[in-house]
Amino acid sequence: MNKQIMLTALISTLLIAAGCSSDAATSKDNPGSQGGGASAGVKKVVVGTGTQFPNICFIDANGKLTGYDVELIREIDKRLPDYEFELKTFEFKNLLLSLETKKIDLIAHQMEVNEERQKKFLYNDEAYNIFPLKVVVHKDNNTVKSIEDLKGKKLIVTATSNSAVLAEKWNSEHGNPIQIVYTGAGEDANEQIKSGRVDATISTQFAIDFLNKSVDAQLKTVGETLSNSKVYFLLRKDETELKQRVDEALREIKADGTLAKLSTQWLGSDYTVEQ
């Protein structure tokens, strides 16, 4: 009798253990579950991105966070089963501080290399986009044809963005002739140009094409490309292992043509190669 009781107890224990193993195995495929985060052996990575960058990271008509950087993170997540990537959105100006204070582990928001960021943070090795920045004005503006024509005029940029760094550098090297105005959201910049409160901004052709179609922004790019630099993910200095794994996945995504497909889908052309 005692043997039967012991056997029954043993079988019950094994069934419970099997049930726990099954739940853990499915938690990565269902990150929205209330199971308390990543399963045993799976490292959780919180990715900071935004909602105001057309085609890159934005909320679509169905209320879904999507775009080139967002879908690339989801593709990396598929290829690294020992990691679980969770996307969280922030205002762009708060991303660097959020990384520094460990609220997030990685930034996916078209981050170009600059000296200030290099001192504090770690870039991955594999670039995933080439970012062609140009001056942007209202479609009826025929007086501004290059950044030189912005002397004495107002240029609006998002604080701490690639565009802001570029504008500040150019301005300091030329006696600060441009009045730089800072904003927190791209939509506000479009409205200010449309209303004539400012004269220009700095952006990419693919972003302008999207805005003209989606919100009738009435913008155009002018002049030569100001910067054609590569963009990367940004991590903390101690995240060397995560950097290596992300680069490993990116090399696969590039090699099988997925990166070029994502770029063409979201940006209208293959911006993984210089335009």
Side-chain angles (χ1 to χ4, degrees):
M1 187 65 179
N2 290 338
K3 289 183 178 179
Q4 186 176 356
I5 292 171
M6 291 176 64
L7 181 60
T8 302
L10 178 59
I11 291 171
S12 298
T13 302
L14 290 172
L15 286 172
I16 292 169
C20 290
S21 297
S22 177
D23 290 343
T26 58
S27 66
K28 178 168 169 60
D29 296 326
N30 186 18
S33 66
Q34 301 300 313
S39 61
V42 175
K43 298 178 182 178
K44 187 173 182 178
V45 178
V46 181
V47 179
T49 189
T51 61
Q52 299 289 332
F53 200 156
N55 294 41
I56 298 296
C57 47
F58 68 106
I59 306 297
D60 68 12
N62 298 316
K64 178 188 176 184
L65 176 66
T66 191
Y68 179 63
D69 282 35
V70 172
E71 299 307 327
L72 177 55
I73 287 294
R74 289 175 176 150
E75 184 65 31
I76 291 171
D77 191 20
K78 291 177 187 176
R79 303 197 187 211
L80 296 178
D82 50 337
Y83 285 87
E84 178 185 310
F85 290 75
E86 177 187 347
L87 288 152
K88 286 192 175 182
T89 59
F90 298 81
E91 285 190 48
F92 181 83
K93 64 183 180 181
N94 295 328
L95 283 171
L96 294 176
L97 180 60
S98 297
L99 183 62
E100 189 172 6
T101 56
K102 299 187 177 182
K103 290 180 181 178
I104 58 177
D105 305 302
L106 181 149
I107 296 176
H109 203 298
Q110 296 285 299
M111 304 301 287
E112 286 184 277
V113 176
N114 67 47
E115 290 182 10
E116 184 178 350
R117 292 172 187 167
Q118 276 185 312
K119 289 176 183 176
K120 285 188 174 183
F121 305 109
L122 180 68
Y123 288 90
N124 70 300
D125 292 333
E126 290 289 326
Y128 66 92
N129 199 22
I130 296 178
F131 203 84
L133 289 170
K134 302 184 78 170
V135 172
V136 176
V137 297
H138 190 271
K139 65 181 180 65
D140 295 331
N141 185 333
N142 296 315
T143 59
V144 175
K145 298 179 181 179
S146 71
I147 194 169
E148 292 280 350
D149 297 326
L150 289 176
K151 293 176 180 178
K153 301 184 184 297
K154 292 182 179 180
L155 173 70
I156 189 167
V157 291
T158 302
T160 76
S161 67
N162 304 337
S163 300
V165 172
L166 179 64
E168 290 159 357
K169 185 174 185 294
W170 190 95
N171 218 26
S172 66
E173 291 173 350
H174 294 81
N176 298 306
I178 300 172
Q179 183 180 342
I180 299 176
V181 179
Y182 296 95
T183 180
E187 185 176 348
D188 181 51
N190 306 334
E191 288 301 317
Q192 291 206 48
I193 293 174
K194 201 171 182 179
S195 66
R197 293 196 296 274
V198 300
D199 301 286
T201 188
I202 295 175
S203 189
T204 65
Q205 187 63 55
F206 58 76
I208 298 311
D209 289 342
F210 176 88
L211 289 169
N212 286 339
K213 290 177 184 177
S214 61
V215 296
D216 188 30
Q218 301 178 23
L219 300 172
K220 66 180 179 182
T221 58
V222 295
E224 298 295 322
T225 299
L226 302 175
S227 172
N228 215 353
S229 61
K230 295 177 180 179
V231 298
Y232 304 84
F233 297 121
L234 202 57
L235 310 91
R236 287 188 301 278
K237 289 280 190 181
D238 60 348
E239 293 284 5
T240 53
E241 182 182 347
L242 176 59
K243 179 190 84 70
Q244 290 169 1
R245 297 305 308 284
V246 167
D247 280 326
E248 173 188 308
L250 267 174
R251 283 190 286 271
E252 290 180 4
I253 292 167
K254 283 182 177 182
D256 66 16
T258 301
L259 191 63
K261 288 178 183 177
L262 283 172
S263 182
T264 302
Q265 175 188 351
W266 289 105
L267 309 181
S269 185
D270 183 6
Y271 284 92
T272 66
V273 294
E274 193 165 321
Q275 296 291 302

